[in-house]
Amino acid sequence: MPIRDLTDGDDLRLNEVFADADTPAAHMARSLFRPSSDSPLLRCVIAEVVPGVPVGAAAIAQSPLHPYRAWVHVEVASEEQGHGQGRELFEAACAETVGTTLEGLDLRTRVQAGSPGAGFAQALGFAPLTTTRVIKVAAGALPPSGGGRAEDLEIVATGSVKLTKAFLAWYTAVNKDDAVGPLTIGQVNNAFLSEAAGAHGAALLNGEAGAAEDSGLSAFAVSYAREADQSGVEITDAMPAPGDDEEAPTELIIGSMFETRDEATDTTSELFTAAVADAELLLARLSVDADVVLEVTSGMPVVSALADRLVEVGQASELYRYETLTGPPAQTH
């Protein structure tokens, strides 16, 4: 099967042969199908049965925030699947990394749980790393709570140094399974809290559940503009793109500073219970007038416990569930 470097215009031809992306993560993963480059470092190949008629593509790209693994995405037109073309594309993309800093890096990919893509990745030797759920809370589903704690709530600018430092500590803690690289305050702000990242507003909540070095900060929330430019955020760090058929919900990141503690997985402690209550207080206050969605990973014990309970009692619904899988570098031939 002829495989070559992807060039300008091939992405449009691929869109004609691929079915519409059925999840936000799938749509964002396809953004890796662009011409190879050195900054950001990316290698991408395309397969054609006949010239001008592509059947699939594969890309491997650096991951600036999580540099110890590289992103990989492989996709083949549905009618061509099952004939080994995906594996050929994968191996060809791996071969293109030789001589670059991508060579030898472990890989990661994000797939919808239970999808054919998940089965394909597992056949290549990929194994589960983290689970991500996208949870929707309808406006007013949570009764406003936390009466008498107005003095604990602080609305801050997204560029706040206190917020940025808290975000960095929290983001590092909840990504232990896919470690982040050394990040500066500026990098964190650019990636998550800047106008380009879509950050729209932020709130801090003081309480007992934070770490001692956080000066009483228990939780924070960052909201994202409904029409955010996510071009500067790597694919798993962007909030999900809403559908076009209804008014987009407000997108939130809720971080519990309890998740930075060594004992964060102890779900039986009074502090854990307090941390869940604080996260719920923020969520309740920010979802009074608007539907909200939040992304919850398996590395977030506090927000995961909150999401579990809200889904169980019908106050929230799960829109999507993704698996991030990890695999060793492929053998190149």
Side-chain angles (χ1 to χ4, degrees), residues 209-210 218-219 256-259 270-280 302:
S218 175
S256 169
M257 299 313 292
F258 186 82
E259 291 169 336
E270 291 183 4
L271 278 182
F272 184 90
T273 301
V276 174
D278 284 351
E280 182 174 3
V302 170

Side-chain angles (χ1 to χ4, degrees), residues 65-66 171 191-192 230 233-239 253 295:
L65 300 181
H66 302 259
Y171 188 77
F192 299 102
Q230 299 283 6
V233 183
E234 66 175 278
I235 59 175
T236 60
D237 299 325
M239 293 297 288
I253 288 179
E295 194 171 276

Side-chain angles (χ1 to χ4, degrees), residues 30 154 198 322:
R30 282 183 184 171
E154 180 184 2
Y322 306 119

Side-chain angles (χ1 to χ4, degrees), residues 43-129:
R43 294 294 182 264
C44 188
V45 296
I46 189 171
E48 296 177 322
V49 174
V50 296
V53 183
V55 296
I60 297 178
Q62 71 177 148
S63 179
L65 300 181
H66 302 259
Y68 309 110
R69 291 184 175 91
W71 280 112
V72 60
H73 181 57
V74 182
E75 193 163 352
V76 175
S78 57
E79 62 272 15
E80 300 289 339
Q81 292 174 7
H83 303 295
Q85 294 169 338
R87 184 179 289 271
E88 286 187 54
L89 279 163
F90 174 69
E91 292 177 348
C94 289
E96 290 295 314
T97 69
V98 173
T100 75
T101 55
L102 294 173
E103 183 181 5
L105 281 182
D106 285 354
L107 301 174
R108 84 166 79 66
T109 190
R110 187 183 233 193
V111 296
Q112 189 169 14
S115 68
F120 170 66
Q122 289 164 0
L124 290 175
F126 283 69
L129 181 65

Side-chain angles (χ1 to χ4, degrees), residues 135-143 249 283-284 286-294 310 314-317:
I135 305 297
K136 180 178 180 179
V137 180
L142 300 181
L283 180 59
L286 296 173
S287 61
V288 171
D289 300 317
D291 295 352
V292 301
V293 293
L294 59 155
L310 295 180
Q315 290 177 306
S317 58

Side-chain angles (χ1 to χ4, degrees), residues 161-176 180-181 183-185 188-189 192-193 210-215 217 220 255-262 264 299-300:
V161 174
K162 183 176 181 180
L163 170 66
T164 308
K165 288 182 175 179
F167 198 108
L168 173 56
W170 168 80
Y171 188 77
T172 300
V174 300
N175 283 285
K176 288 187 175 73
V180 302
L183 297 177
T184 66
I185 294 296
V188 171
N189 186 270
F192 299 102
L193 303 174
E213 58 269 24
D214 298 320
S215 303
L217 178 62
F220 65 82
S256 169
M257 299 313 292
F258 186 82
E259 291 169 336
T260 68
R261 288 173 170 256
D262 291 338
M300 304 175 185

